[in-house]
Amino acid sequence: MSTRATRSPRRRTVVALGVVLAILIAFVVRLVDIQVVNADDHVADSVRMSLGASRTLYGTRGPIVDETGDVLAGSILLYDGQLDPSNVGPVERKAADGTEVEVPWEQTSAEIAAITGQTAEDVQKIVADARADNPNSQWALLIRGLSTEQFRALADLELPFLSFAPHPARTYPDGAVGGNLVGFVGTDGDALAGLELTQDGCLTTEDGHESYSVGKDGVVIPGTLKTEPATDGGTLQLTINRDLQWYLQQMIAEEVQNQAAQFGTAFVVEVATGKVRAAAEYPSVDPNNVDASVPDDRGSRIFTTYFEPGSTFKAITAATLLEEGAATPLTTVTASSSESFPNGARINDHFSHPALTYTLTGALIDSSNVALSKFGSMVSPEVRHDWLERFGVGRTTDIGFLGEEAGELHPVSEWDNQTLYTTTFGQAFTVTVPQVASAYQTIANGGVRMPLTMVEGCTQADGTLVKPELPGPERIISETTAKTTSLMIENVAVQGGLAESIAVPGYRIATKTGTAQKYDPVTKGYKSGVYYTSMVGFAPADDPAYVVMVTLDEPTKVTSSAATAPAFQKAMTQVLKTYRVMPSSSAEPELLPKYK
């Protein structure tokens, strides 16, 4: 048996062990609570305290690419150089002989300036000003937007008071190529114009976040790092062909200068699909240097400028007559170069001629306003108004470009005596370049309108492809009407006065010119001797593949639509070459008579 003397120490030992065990259990429970159960809360608390740190993880804004995948807009990393004024001073470096030498601030500031493009005095002043504002200042901005090369060169200086904050930035590898379409972003990365803005939902990123706790020595405390990764933007693929866009921008810039015009455009649509393959204009904007362009040049006049189409819409009047059964290509009217109509309207042609018995085809070839007025009167004004609407006048295209205009088509009730006739030859209503191109795409495509589009789709960061929502094909006129109208405007190209200027060897072409007067809102009349000239057509006319339209605003060397002939010929030639379109299978169309 145990004596009282031996039991007492044993009890004390058991009690002591129990106490120690209880303490250990409490410690373990608390440790589990801190490091497992409530770890997130404790890390968050530490981050909010002085030992916490965090930084933004930037996503990469999605690229904009052309139809072949070539980049029109991309993202790069730039760096903001930062100084710690409290730490600025002489630094120790190894000399060539291996000894330590002291390099003064005056020298290192000059080394910094040589890389950043500043002066040593500029760099020294940044530090001096920061210290003057706050003697204990630990931060001052040296310079924003350092390139990777500059960042590496500065990092190689190994200056302890110099640090860098990376951030994404936008770059446009081909400069102004497609600049008016692509648009641009601000210095803060926010989309400001063009497709950068309208397609921002595809391109934009979701920034991530990283937080952690650090010890007094600045080392990250293990287990405190929390990361929410960034999500990159999607890839926006356009229908535009970069190489064709580049060529047409160079060409239209040259033609604008040759003709001393205000501006010019060149627009290309694929007949079978409605895809826009080029939308070039001059003046243009380089998204890398937006401030170098005046505000009016930073958008796209192709979509925001509306004008009276003039004679290009005589083909639409002809198609209306054919579809309504009111005329054929050989139906005739007698027309002089200037006539008064029963309601008192006076209509003039652009050239003087005696009374001629024009066929409908001949009226298009000579572009006779008087003859078209008589032909157009073969159907009611209401019918012509409805067909203009069906061909897209008065509404925006399906492209939906930023700021795209709809043009204007007044109701018939507002047509006066003059408008009753001028609407037959493209006056008293307004259109945009895409609207005219769409009307000709419809004729070239056998009477079926394809919705115009400039966006192929958006491939999101997870690989999902999102296509634009577009209406389906729509039959506007019969195939017979389309083919007959095509033959008539092909006769315009062959028998018209610009036949030699616009010819592309080996290809049959259908074209129509337009010389539109410009309305003056001040005088409420047309400007004298000032015109908006255009030419639109498609090729090969026997198997249409592409519609091309070129315009010049107020050309002064040649003021008629002949000013656009060189630009049209160059543009069409390049389009056919770019897409390797086979030459026409026959030499020329059936020639239709101009007169009877």
Side-chain angles (χ1 to χ4, degrees), residues 338-348 370 374 421:
S338 180
E339 291 191 24
S340 293
F341 284 73
N343 67 357
R346 185 79 184 177
I347 304 298
N348 302 304
V370 177
K374 293 185 174 182
Y421 297 103

Side-chain angles (χ1 to χ4, degrees), residues 504 509 537-539 546 548 567-576:
V504 179
I509 297 175
F538 48 85
Y546 293 94
V548 171
F568 180 87
Q569 196 276 342
K570 293 174 184 176
M572 183 61 81
T573 299
Q574 188 63 33
V575 169
L576 297 172

